[in-house]
Structures are given as C-alpha cells and as structure tokens.
Amino acid sequence: MDILPSLNQQAEWPPGWRILPNGASIACEVIDAWRTIPVAVAGDCMGRSIGATGLRQYHPDLATVMCGRAVTVRTRPGDNLVIHKAMLMANPGDVIVIDAGGSVEQAIVGGLMRTTAIARKLGGFIVDGAVRDLLEWQEGGMPCFARGHTHRGPSKDGPGAVNIPISCGGLVVQPGDLILGDADGILAIPANELSGLMPKVQEHLEREAAIRETNAQEGGNADRINALLRSKGLNI
C-alpha cells in the first residue's frame, strides 16, 4: 500500500512530504522551436547572470540538447524515494529536476533509473546531488547533469516533495518551466515567458551572425571595441 496520499486526495500531508500535480503542458511545437536555441544565447537574453552552476554533464555527446517541461523534486540528501515517484508521474519528454542539497555523499540517481527513464522516454535529469553507474550514462540516450558522482547508494525513506519550487545549482525552477540544457549549461524558462522571449532570441542570433561574419572577414571589429572603451572614459 502506498504510504503517500494520492494526488487527488484532499489530505493533510505528513511533515516534509508534498506530491503535487505536474505543471501545465507545453506544446510540442514550442519545445521543438526552443530545442534549436543555444543556452548561451537564451541566457544572454535573460540577463546573462541566470542559470545553474556547479553541475557537469554525464552523457557523452556534447551535441545533445535537453529541452522539456520540468518536473521538480526536493529530496533529503541521499534519498531517492520521491524521485522514483516523479519519474512515474512524468510524461515523455519531461525533465526531472532534483534539489538534493548539493550533497555528493550518496548517489540518488543511477543506471537502473536511467533504464526506466529511457523506457518512459523522459527528457533527462538535472541532479543537484550525486549519480552513479557512469559507464551506463556513457552509453548515451539519456541526458544527465549532476553535481558529482559516487558509488555509494541511496536510501528510500523520504521525506521529499514533487512539483514544488526548488533551487537546483543556484537556479530557481518552478514545476512546468521549460528546461533548456546543452554543453554550455542549463536554464529554466517560465512557460509564460516563452513566447515573448523567442523574438529577442531570434534578434540576438541575427546580431551574433553579423558579428561572426565581421570577425571572420576582418579579424575583429576595432570600431565596436574602441567605441565601448571610449564609453568608459578612455581616450582611444
């Protein structure tokens, strides 16, 4: 018997527990459009100082892009009971984003969970904690970013929460945010900001393309750099 109340049951949760419904879905065409956007470009358009830090890539292909709706998890360091529950709740393409307090004393996601995630066609894992079974992650097929790794395994006691606001690698993530991750890093974009942000991203891409062309042909843009220096008060 499940010790946790069902999602639809109006019950008082035991201390430390919350299992809430997934955030609203994001249209497939929207996700597909964002999958083509580099994290660095999206980050530039969001102020340049946003995104997870201190997490590293555990899947082998640098070209792999993680893009999907966030299912968030907050768990006691070293415990993965609610992560399993979140994976069962997630839809294909969803990304499991885990706040485990940054602890790397015990792995909370491993190869068996990777197998489950592949079978369920999930979009990947972001773990502010430790993973294990690195050779299995190196087989590819399931993106994973984590704080670190260890052979030491998890408990399954709880408590924990699913689909609440969390902090993962210093990045605030709300359930239902769009997660965008590539070789450069990870962003969470609120779903209600996606349509307004995309035109800015496209303009940024066009501007970068023009700068790249100038750099390739002229070896840099002296006028642009000198103008910036003069704006700082230098007599250039």
Side-chain angles (χ1 to χ4, degrees):
M1 180 177 179
D2 193 346
I3 64 169
L4 305 179
S6 70
L7 296 180
N8 297 320
Q9 183 177 349
Q10 297 298 315
E12 182 177 347
W13 291 95
W17 295 99
R18 291 289 186 280
I19 298 182
L20 305 178
N22 294 333
S25 62
I26 302 173
C28 292
E29 58 269 23
V30 173
I31 292 175
D32 289 342
W34 279 98
R35 195 180 300 277
T36 67
I37 305 301
V39 166
V41 170
D44 281 356
C45 295
M46 297 176 71
R48 295 199 163 197
S49 60
I50 190 171
T53 60
L55 307 183
R56 56 160 286 194
Q57 177 177 319
Y58 278 88
H59 50 278
D61 188 356
L62 288 176
T64 296
V65 176
M66 174 187 288
C67 188
R69 180 184 65 167
V71 175
T72 61
V73 179
R74 185 180 67 202
T75 185
R76 178 174 62 79
D79 194 277
N80 71 2
L81 177 56
V82 290
I83 303 174
H84 283 275
K85 181 61 175 176
M87 293 171 63
L88 294 173
M89 293 169 57
N91 292 321
D94 287 350
V95 177
I96 308 298
V97 188
I98 304 163
D99 172 10
S103 172
V104 293
E105 294 298 313
Q106 292 173 267
I108 55 172
V109 177
L112 297 178
M113 297 170 76
R114 171 185 172 272
T115 301
T116 299
I118 290 174
R120 297 184 66 84
K121 297 181 171 60
L122 301 187
F125 293 89
I126 303 173
V127 186
D128 199 351
V131 297
R132 68 176 184 175
D133 304 317
L134 267 60
L135 292 181
E136 294 182 52
W137 292 107
Q138 284 298 302
E139 294 173 7
M142 182 54 53
C144 179
F145 294 86
R147 174 76 55 183
H149 60 273
T150 178
H151 67 281
R152 298 172 63 177
S155 60
K156 288 180 174 59
D157 297 316
V162 179
N163 286 320
I164 66 166
I166 63 169
S167 174
C168 184
L171 173 67
V172 175
V173 184
Q174 302 276 351
D177 283 355
L178 181 75
I179 297 299
L180 185 62
D182 63 19
D184 282 328
I186 303 158
L187 287 174
I189 308 173
N192 62 2
E193 296 181 12
L194 292 171
S195 60
L197 185 61
M198 181 58 85
K200 299 177 183 178
V201 166
Q202 296 295 343
E203 291 175 8
H204 192 91
L205 284 169
E206 293 174 4
R207 186 163 56 252
E208 282 199 344
I211 294 172
R212 186 173 293 107
E213 182 68 19
T214 298
N215 290 348
Q217 292 186 0
E218 302 177 15
N221 189 333
D223 289 342
R224 172 173 171 261
I225 298 303
N226 287 336
L228 287 171
L229 291 169
R230 284 194 292 270
S231 73
K232 307 300 180 185
L234 280 72
N235 185 20
I236 300 294

